Amino acid sequence: MCGIVGYIGAQQAQDILLDGLSRLEYRGYDSAGIAVMDGGVIRLSKAKGRLANLAARVASNPLPGTIGIGHTRWATHGEPNDINAHPHTDMKGHIAVVHNGIIENYEELRTQLKAKGCVFVSETDTEVIAHLLHTLYDGDMLSTILHAQTMLEGSYALCVLNAEAPDTLYCTRKDSPLVVGLSDGAQYVGSDIPALIRHTRTVELLDEREVAVLTRSGVRVYDHFGNERALKPIHVDWDVEAAEKGGYAHFMLKEIHEEPAALKKTFSAHVDAEKMAIRPGAFPISAEEANSLRTLTIVACGTAYHAGVVGKYVIEKLARLPVVVDVASEFRYRNPILGAGDCFLAISQSGETADTLAAMREAERLGAKVMALTNVVGSSIARTAGDCVMYTYAGPEIAVASTKAYITQVEMMVLLAIDLGVKRGHLTESVASELLRQMADIPALAEQVMALEPAVQRFSSLYHDRQHVFYIGRGLDNALAMEASLKLKEVSYIMSEAYAAGELKHGTIALIEQGTLVCALLTQEHLADKTLSNVREVKSRGAKVLIVCPEALRDRAAKDADELWVIPDAASDLLPLLAIIPVQLFAYYMAVSRGCDVDKPRNLAKSVTVE
């Protein structure tokens, strides 16, 4: 949520800041602004709405200067408007601040600062920071920021300009992501790597409450006691093209088409293809630990939660280990029963999801073994997990609606199930090897599924006016239906719900009427007759039925389908990796047909970094 950029160098900052913000649009926002300093004078430009509104303003009224900060705001305190947009300044305009996160004690600080004569012009919690820095300023912004940290409660990533230090940019973080980009003669700041990757692939990750001081000649990092530490730069292997549309109309469509490559890369990173066995150390749990486990708790949000539900099915089946899947925002508030002998797995594409990170810390406190699965090296969740982190290799995902990250998370759930199954003695190595051999074929089969795209596009053009869509399935198909439904509502704004097919008669079938669109996911052959029985129930009440099934079930499904999308055959536990692709394409083309902003749906953010 929200996006921060910062720059200091020899070039004009304005265009670099705007370009960086454009690469963070996927994070979600409702206003944008930049501040540029030139000769000790800080000038601001802010605009409600899309970044194009801000770009138009600065095109007619440029902000000269080679040092600046920028921000895209997702409103938490105060409505979206020009005044509440960042950056915010103190009363003199000598200190400018952009902020991601939530200051939980801002009302208390606001009252104290008003008593000291500070005049507030916005409704935001961020303006409190600008006035606080002004009040505490002792001639040294580094020590002032360190002092302010002791008074701020909540989460924050900050970039600060100080008119009395016209050649220095400051930034710090606590519970919100921030990355510093390093290069010769210029330094960069961003909420996420795509904001920097056009300029540098060398980045410095800040730990909690560290402060980075950026000048044109370099970067210095200090801990919250003011002690300087040595830099620990890392190299990012994403290329610029990976964060570009590459000729596709939208990032979402591009990222769906990248799924076969993402599946192949993630598989290769964890499986020795010659031995067709899980690589030693690929999963951070020993055979001894695996056999002593009482339970596995998977915690995540949104799409990652749905991947965890798939994980529950396959891990319980292949490893015979009880699995609990919980929503991160609920986990730590229900006094969870967790401790030594239990394993906790956090799943997060960005590695910065605030609720998931908080749940991890609670699991650590309770004494569970804590593991994490993320797509971003060096993210907060990855660093919290330490040696117990696992990675998907989906590459940068720019569209707000997750597609290739989800499919690689599901792939990792299957690989983890196989690994645990072998270690716990419920899978022989030969059975595991055969399942891995079939997994090795999934990327090529996923490529074949893309051939359904014209049929999906045609069907979407006929049904895009529907106001309600229902997804049904049993077993793994129920887990798949949850994600398919979320994807449709995220990008098309259609009211969509997923139900276990067997639950229809317990209330939901009352909503079925003439012309209602029902999508039945039918990949599990042992449950096919049961699901088809439910399909007949909704058809008899006037529903139009779309069925997604493998080739082996084509003939049985065709009798009851108004529209049939057939995917290649594969092992039943692997079919969700193929069946998700056409329903992702369906969500995409429904949104396009309805004229929706596919890559940046309203009110949504890619990475939810506040509770």
Side-chain angles (χ1 to χ4, degrees), residues 293-309:
L293 285 180
R294 297 183 306 182
T295 62
L296 171 64
T297 296
I298 300 175
V299 171
C301 300
T303 286
Y305 169 79
H306 296 155
V309 176

PDB file of all heavy atoms in Angstrom, residues 293-309:
ATOM      1  N   LEU A 293       6.697 -33.579  14.236  1.00  0.00           N
ATOM      2  CA  LEU A 293       5.682 -32.529  14.145  1.00  0.00           C
ATOM      3  C   LEU A 293       4.319 -33.036  14.607  1.00  0.00           C
ATOM      4  O   LEU A 293       3.897 -34.148  14.281  1.00  0.00           O
ATOM      5  CB  LEU A 293       5.549 -32.019  12.714  1.00  0.00           C
ATOM      6  CG  LEU A 293       6.658 -31.109  12.182  1.00  0.00           C
ATOM      7  CD1 LEU A 293       6.350 -30.714  10.745  1.00  0.00           C
ATOM      8  CD2 LEU A 293       6.813 -29.866  13.046  1.00  0.00           C
ATOM      9  N   ARG A 294       3.615 -32.157  15.338  1.00  0.00           N
ATOM     10  CA  ARG A 294       2.231 -32.446  15.715  1.00  0.00           C
ATOM     11  C   ARG A 294       1.273 -31.872  14.672  1.00  0.00           C
ATOM     12  O   ARG A 294       0.318 -32.527  14.263  1.00  0.00           O
ATOM     13  CB  ARG A 294       1.919 -31.842  17.081  1.00  0.00           C
ATOM     14  CG  ARG A 294       2.732 -32.406  18.223  1.00  0.00           C
ATOM     15  CD  ARG A 294       2.310 -31.804  19.549  1.00  0.00           C
ATOM     16  NE  ARG A 294       2.358 -30.330  19.532  1.00  0.00           N
ATOM     17  CZ  ARG A 294       2.069 -29.570  20.591  1.00  0.00           C
ATOM     18  NH1 ARG A 294       1.702 -30.146  21.728  1.00  0.00           N
ATOM     19  NH2 ARG A 294       2.142 -28.252  20.511  1.00  0.00           N
ATOM     20  N   THR A 295       1.538 -30.636  14.270  1.00  0.00           N
ATOM     21  CA  THR A 295       0.668 -29.964  13.300  1.00  0.00           C
ATOM     22  C   THR A 295       1.494 -29.000  12.458  1.00  0.00           C
ATOM     23  O   THR A 295       2.600 -28.597  12.832  1.00  0.00           O
ATOM     24  CB  THR A 295      -0.436 -29.131  13.990  1.00  0.00           C
ATOM     25  OG1 THR A 295       0.173 -28.094  14.771  1.00  0.00           O
ATOM     26  CG2 THR A 295      -1.321 -30.004  14.871  1.00  0.00           C
ATOM     27  N   LEU A 296       0.923 -28.611  11.341  1.00  0.00           N
ATOM     28  CA  LEU A 296       1.444 -27.512  10.524  1.00  0.00           C
ATOM     29  C   LEU A 296       0.344 -26.468  10.418  1.00  0.00           C
ATOM     30  O   LEU A 296      -0.797 -26.792  10.045  1.00  0.00           O
ATOM     31  CB  LEU A 296       1.837 -27.997   9.127  1.00  0.00           C
ATOM     32  CG  LEU A 296       2.186 -26.909   8.097  1.00  0.00           C
ATOM     33  CD1 LEU A 296       3.414 -26.130   8.525  1.00  0.00           C
ATOM     34  CD2 LEU A 296       2.387 -27.525   6.707  1.00  0.00           C
ATOM     35  N   THR A 297       0.656 -25.236  10.759  1.00  0.00           N
ATOM     36  CA  THR A 297      -0.286 -24.124  10.619  1.00  0.00           C
ATOM     37  C   THR A 297       0.194 -23.227   9.490  1.00  0.00           C
ATOM     38  O   THR A 297       1.320 -22.724   9.535  1.00  0.00           O
ATOM     39  CB  THR A 297      -0.394 -23.313  11.920  1.00  0.00           C
ATOM     40  OG1 THR A 297      -0.944 -24.157  12.951  1.00  0.00           O
ATOM     41  CG2 THR A 297      -1.304 -22.106  11.734  1.00  0.00           C
ATOM     42  N   ILE A 298      -0.636 -23.055   8.478  1.00  0.00           N
ATOM     43  CA  ILE A 298      -0.320 -22.173   7.347  1.00  0.00           C
ATOM     44  C   ILE A 298      -1.119 -20.887   7.514  1.00  0.00           C
ATOM     45  O   ILE A 298      -2.349 -20.928   7.680  1.00  0.00           O
ATOM     46  CB  ILE A 298      -0.661 -22.836   6.003  1.00  0.00           C
ATOM     47  CG1 ILE A 298       0.138 -24.134   5.822  1.00  0.00           C
ATOM     48  CG2 ILE A 298      -0.382 -21.884   4.847  1.00  0.00           C
ATOM     49  CD1 ILE A 298      -0.240 -24.916   4.569  1.00  0.00           C
ATOM     50  N   VAL A 299      -0.438 -19.759   7.490  1.00  0.00           N
ATOM     51  CA  VAL A 299      -1.092 -18.468   7.692  1.00  0.00           C
ATOM     52  C   VAL A 299      -0.749 -17.537   6.537  1.00  0.00           C
ATOM     53  O   VAL A 299       0.420 -17.431   6.140  1.00  0.00           O
ATOM     54  CB  VAL A 299      -0.674 -17.851   9.046  1.00  0.00           C
ATOM     55  CG1 VAL A 299      -1.177 -16.430   9.168  1.00  0.00           C
ATOM     56  CG2 VAL A 299      -1.210 -18.697  10.198  1.00  0.00           C
ATOM     57  N   ALA A 300      -1.753 -16.879   6.005  1.00  0.00           N
ATOM     58  CA  ALA A 300      -1.549 -15.983   4.859  1.00  0.00           C
ATOM     59  C   ALA A 300      -2.783 -15.108   4.690  1.00  0.00           C
ATOM     60  O   ALA A 300      -3.743 -15.213   5.461  1.00  0.00           O
ATOM     61  CB  ALA A 300      -1.288 -16.804   3.588  1.00  0.00           C
ATOM     62  N   CYS A 301      -2.770 -14.260   3.662  1.00  0.00           N
ATOM     63  CA  CYS A 301      -3.894 -13.375   3.349  1.00  0.00           C
ATOM     64  C   CYS A 301      -4.255 -13.518   1.878  1.00  0.00           C
ATOM     65  O   CYS A 301      -3.384 -13.750   1.030  1.00  0.00           O
ATOM     66  CB  CYS A 301      -3.534 -11.913   3.626  1.00  0.00           C
ATOM     67  SG  CYS A 301      -3.097 -11.549   5.327  1.00  0.00           S
ATOM     68  N   GLY A 302      -5.528 -13.349   1.565  1.00  0.00           N
ATOM     69  CA  GLY A 302      -5.971 -13.268   0.176  1.00  0.00           C
ATOM     70  C   GLY A 302      -5.565 -14.458  -0.662  1.00  0.00           C
ATOM     71  O   GLY A 302      -5.771 -15.623  -0.304  1.00  0.00           O
ATOM     72  N   THR A 303      -4.953 -14.172  -1.807  1.00  0.00           N
ATOM     73  CA  THR A 303      -4.541 -15.210  -2.744  1.00  0.00           C
ATOM     74  C   THR A 303      -3.575 -16.201  -2.107  1.00  0.00           C
ATOM     75  O   THR A 303      -3.670 -17.413  -2.330  1.00  0.00           O
ATOM     76  CB  THR A 303      -3.915 -14.555  -3.988  1.00  0.00           C
ATOM     77  OG1 THR A 303      -4.956 -13.984  -4.780  1.00  0.00           O
ATOM     78  CG2 THR A 303      -3.160 -15.560  -4.832  1.00  0.00           C
ATOM     79  N   ALA A 304      -2.633 -15.717  -1.314  1.00  0.00           N
ATOM     80  CA  ALA A 304      -1.682 -16.609  -0.650  1.00  0.00           C
ATOM     81  C   ALA A 304      -2.400 -17.555   0.306  1.00  0.00           C
ATOM     82  O   ALA A 304      -2.012 -18.714   0.463  1.00  0.00           O
ATOM     83  CB  ALA A 304      -0.632 -15.791   0.094  1.00  0.00           C
ATOM     84  N   TYR A 305      -3.471 -17.081   0.940  1.00  0.00           N
ATOM     85  CA  TYR A 305      -4.291 -17.951   1.796  1.00  0.00           C
ATOM     86  C   TYR A 305      -4.892 -19.084   0.973  1.00  0.00           C
ATOM     87  O   TYR A 305      -4.926 -20.253   1.406  1.00  0.00           O
ATOM     88  CB  TYR A 305      -5.380 -17.121   2.464  1.00  0.00           C
ATOM     89  CG  TYR A 305      -6.436 -17.940   3.169  1.00  0.00           C
ATOM     90  CD1 TYR A 305      -6.197 -18.487   4.434  1.00  0.00           C
ATOM     91  CD2 TYR A 305      -7.674 -18.169   2.574  1.00  0.00           C
ATOM     92  CE1 TYR A 305      -7.168 -19.239   5.078  1.00  0.00           C
ATOM     93  CE2 TYR A 305      -8.645 -18.923   3.213  1.00  0.00           C
ATOM     94  CZ  TYR A 305      -8.396 -19.458   4.455  1.00  0.00           C
ATOM     95  OH  TYR A 305      -9.349 -20.210   5.092  1.00  0.00           O
ATOM     96  N   HIS A 306      -5.364 -18.773  -0.210  1.00  0.00           N
ATOM     97  CA  HIS A 306      -5.944 -19.810  -1.061  1.00  0.00           C
ATOM     98  C   HIS A 306      -4.904 -20.844  -1.481  1.00  0.00           C
ATOM     99  O   HIS A 306      -5.215 -22.036  -1.594  1.00  0.00           O
ATOM    100  CB  HIS A 306      -6.585 -19.173  -2.291  1.00  0.00           C
ATOM    101  CG  HIS A 306      -7.738 -18.272  -1.954  1.00  0.00           C
ATOM    102  ND1 HIS A 306      -8.149 -17.242  -2.763  1.00  0.00           N
ATOM    103  CD2 HIS A 306      -8.549 -18.234  -0.859  1.00  0.00           C
ATOM    104  CE1 HIS A 306      -9.166 -16.616  -2.196  1.00  0.00           C
ATOM    105  NE2 HIS A 306      -9.427 -17.202  -1.043  1.00  0.00           N
ATOM    106  N   ALA A 307      -3.677 -20.405  -1.711  1.00  0.00           N
ATOM    107  CA  ALA A 307      -2.601 -21.359  -1.977  1.00  0.00           C
ATOM    108  C   ALA A 307      -2.385 -22.258  -0.761  1.00  0.00           C
ATOM    109  O   ALA A 307      -2.118 -23.465  -0.889  1.00  0.00           O
ATOM    110  CB  ALA A 307      -1.306 -20.618  -2.329  1.00  0.00           C
ATOM    111  N   GLY A 308      -2.513 -21.665   0.425  1.00  0.00           N
ATOM    112  CA  GLY A 308      -2.383 -22.446   1.642  1.00  0.00           C
ATOM    113  C   GLY A 308      -3.476 -23.487   1.793  1.00  0.00           C
ATOM    114  O   GLY A 308      -3.238 -24.584   2.315  1.00  0.00           O
ATOM    115  N   VAL A 309      -4.698 -23.176   1.328  1.00  0.00           N
ATOM    116  CA  VAL A 309      -5.786 -24.152   1.386  1.00  0.00           C
ATOM    117  C   VAL A 309      -5.470 -25.343   0.483  1.00  0.00           C
ATOM    118  O   VAL A 309      -5.708 -26.506   0.846  1.00  0.00           O
ATOM    119  CB  VAL A 309      -7.128 -23.497   0.986  1.00  0.00           C
ATOM    120  CG1 VAL A 309      -8.247 -24.545   0.963  1.00  0.00           C
ATOM    121  CG2 VAL A 309      -7.481 -22.379   1.968  1.00  0.00           C
TER     122      VAL A 309
END
